[in-house]
Amino acid sequence: SQPFDVDLIRSQFPSLQLTVNDRPLIYFDSAATSQKPACVIDAINNHYSGGQANVHRGSHSLTSASTQRFENARQTVADFLNVSKDTIVWTRGATEALNLIAQSCARNSLQPGDEILVSEMEHHANIVPWQLVAEQTGAEVVKIPVVRETCQLDMQAFYERLSDKTKLVAVCHINNVTGTRNPIEEIIQSAHRIGAITVIDGAQGIVHETPDLTDLGADFYVFSGHKLFAPAGIGVLYGKKALLDAMPPWHGGGKMVEKVSFEGTDFASSPAKFEAGTPNVAGAIALAEAITWYQAIDLKHAELHISNLQRQLYEGLSKLEDIRIIGYQPGSSILSFVMDGVHPSDIATLLDQQGIAARSGHHCAHPLMDALNLSGTVRISLAIYNTAEEVTQCLEALEKACDIL
Ligand code: PMP
């Protein structure tokens, strides 16, 4: 791979040339969604301008070529994760993938008295689908608490709650508020020892640590394309082949069937069984392009670059008396903070006036906010295209904000 060069990376992102409120854009909201490199934008354009057609339908040349590109994209994702192609199901994103697992796998295997262990630091996308399926099956959602001081999972509590009632364990790889990296390897092994199914929400994790899913052994791993430099509307569900094969479809429609008659319908095998209707072909192709682009980067040095920026930010913020950092995770790409007595959105608005895009609010993690006794935080999330100068400018803007607010 090419040596890591942030200027070279930046030059590949047209949107990073924008000005916002008459200032050069400083984009510090990549955990919400990433900006897109030109090659990904071109891949979408080329798909639509280069003669596209529907996939897995008919036999004319355009449909064959589109089907080939669509299935090649699935292979790219499978190779990226070191799993076989038939374990990769296209979804709209992490949220849809988690709902698919809940409504197909969990809904058909859970019974009253069964328990679903879910961590307190989860995004709502990894909580609400489990609550819905608990309601439908009579199972119960049991919380794995976080340790307030560290914003890390309380592993002792996890072991206390793990029992023969536990049928499913759902945790994130990396959390979206503090950047906490969970000990997913240990969680997966312990859950498997008692026969529970493991679901890893990789929405944040996939961007900073490429998992070898064969090695990791999770039953399910999900992520969204849009956080990994691809467009929104495409995501991935990885599932172990035996589990996918045993799961019933959750949506009905075209392409997920072998034979339909009014007497009954034979379903296709997975992954087609879970992909009813015309899929997001351009999205899948663009995600494969994003992955290919990402893999050509010297990721070891890219991650070092990001963690250096995060440390610079941490050290700068630590000098500002009014600012309280929440659950600092050294080495991560995320930093959350609050200013006591000031609404996070007021800080984000002041930053925005300086062209700095930072996220404020509860980050779709109400239970974590409740555990930390906060209504929200300001979150700065860094990506490979950010620079030390941007961090310096943000720190200057925050110093001014402290004076104003
Ligand atoms: N899980 C985590 C940890 C996330 O950060 C997000 C996105 N903020 C999601 C799940 C949901 O992803 P999406 O909205 O793309 O489906």
Side-chain angles (χ1 to χ4, degrees), residues 121 145-154 180-182 328-329:
M121 69 167 76
V146 295
V147 179
R148 268 181 76 154
E149 295 69 35
T150 60
C151 286
Q152 294 180 351
L153 274 191
D154 182 342
T180 303
R181 200 278 190 197
N182 282 323
Y328 173 51
Q329 306 297 314

Side-chain angles (χ1 to χ4, degrees), residues 134-177:
E135 184 80 15
Q136 289 157 340
T137 59
E140 199 184 327
V141 176
V142 175
K143 173 174 87 180
I144 313 167
V146 295
V147 179
R148 268 181 76 154
E149 295 69 35
T150 60
C151 286
Q152 294 180 351
L153 274 191
D154 182 342
M155 288 301 282
Q156 197 183 329
F158 165 68
Y159 285 114
E160 282 163 14
R161 284 157 180 72
L162 192 68
S163 76
D164 54 9
K165 288 189 191 165
T166 312
K167 294 295 180 288
L168 193 144
V169 179
V171 294
C172 59
H173 182 176
I174 293 178
N175 160 269
N176 66 312
V177 180

Side-chain angles (χ1 to χ4, degrees), residues 31-32 92-96 98 122-123 125-126 172 174-176 201-204 224-227 359 363-364 379:
R92 283 192 292 138
T95 301
E96 188 177 60
L98 291 164
E122 296 310 305
H123 186 280
N126 201 21
C172 59
I174 293 178
N175 160 269
N176 66 312
D201 171 2
Q204 299 293 336
S224 298
H226 70 90
K227 298 191 202 261
R359 174 81 186 270
H363 315 292
C364 297
R379 179 187 71 186

